[in-house]
Amino acid sequence: MQQQQQPARNAPNPMQPTLARPISDQAEAQQVVGHLSDVMDALLALVEEETQHVRLGRLTEVPRLAEKKAKLARLYLADTARLQASGPYLAKTLPVVLDALRERHNTFRALLQLNLTVLATAHAVSEGIIRGAAEQISRKSAPQVYGASGRHNVSNPRQAQPMAVSRSL
C-alpha cells in the first residue's frame, strides 16, 4: 500500500492569490515604477500591433501575440499590485511620481478601450457573416413549398443543418 504524499506546508497554493510585497524604500519604488512603465510601453506596442492586424483583416497573426501579451499582462498586474500595496507609503514619499503614474495609467486604459472596441467590432462582424451564411444554407436546404396560407413556409432555425467552417483559409 502506497502512502499519499502530503503537500508541504510552506508551498504556495496556486489557487490562492499571493499578497504583493509592499515597497520599503524610494529606490525600490523608483525601480518598480520604472519597470511598470517599461511593461506598459511593451504592452501598448503589442496591443497596437494586434489592433492593426485586426483592422487589416490579418486575423491569423493575432494568436501569435497571445503568449507575449499574457506574460506582459502578468508583469503589469504584479507591478500594480505592489504599488497598490504600498499606496500610503508612495503617497507620502513620491506624490509627484504617483500622480504622473496615475495620469499615464488613464491614457493606457483609454488605448486599451480602443483595442477592445476594435476586437468587439471584428467579433460582431464575423458573427454576422457566420449567421448570414448559416441562414443561406438552411434556406437552400429547406423545401420550397407553400403553406396553408398560400405563402412560402419559413424554415425553423432550430432545425437548421450544422455548418462546418475551415480555419485554414
Side-chain angles (χ1 to χ4, degrees):
M1 177 183 276
Q2 288 185 341
Q3 210 173 22
Q4 289 184 350
Q5 292 182 350
Q6 296 293 325
R9 290 184 181 192
N10 294 337
N13 183 351
M15 298 304 287
Q16 294 204 354
T18 58
L19 295 176
R21 183 175 54 86
I23 295 170
S24 58
D25 60 19
Q26 285 188 1
E28 186 180 13
Q30 291 289 353
Q31 187 267 335
V32 172
V33 168
H35 185 259
L36 179 62
S37 291
D38 293 343
V39 168
M40 285 172 66
D41 289 341
L43 195 53
L44 277 177
L46 199 63
V47 165
E48 286 175 7
E49 182 182 352
E50 178 185 55
T51 302
Q52 221 30 46
H53 286 312
V54 171
R55 280 186 174 157
L56 296 174
R58 293 184 285 194
L59 300 178
T60 57
E61 297 293 320
V62 174
R64 74 173 178 81
L65 304 173
E67 187 176 332
K68 189 174 180 184
K69 190 170 151 183
K71 180 184 174 191
L72 288 170
R74 281 191 297 274
L75 291 172
Y76 173 80
L77 290 174
D79 286 348
T80 55
R82 287 203 63 203
L83 291 171
Q84 285 177 344
S86 308
Y89 173 76
L90 293 173
K92 190 177 356 171
T93 58
L94 299 168
V96 175
V97 171
L98 196 57
D99 288 340
L101 189 60
R102 280 190 184 116
E103 187 64 35
R104 181 137 193 257
H105 188 266
N106 289 337
T107 303
F108 179 72
R109 186 179 300 177
L111 291 171
L112 286 179
Q113 188 62 43
L114 176 67
N115 175 261
L116 288 174
T117 303
V118 169
L119 292 176
T121 302
H123 182 267
V125 167
S126 63
E127 184 177 343
I129 291 170
I130 295 297
R131 287 187 188 275
E135 192 176 296
Q136 287 293 328
I137 289 171
S138 67
R139 189 176 304 142
K140 287 181 181 179
S141 66
Q144 300 295 319
V145 296
Y146 292 100
S149 65
R151 296 186 179 151
H152 281 287
N153 281 339
V154 179
S155 61
N156 186 348
R158 293 180 187 221
Q159 296 174 343
Q161 296 295 316
M163 182 175 82
V165 177
S166 173
R167 291 182 177 245
S168 64
L169 297 176

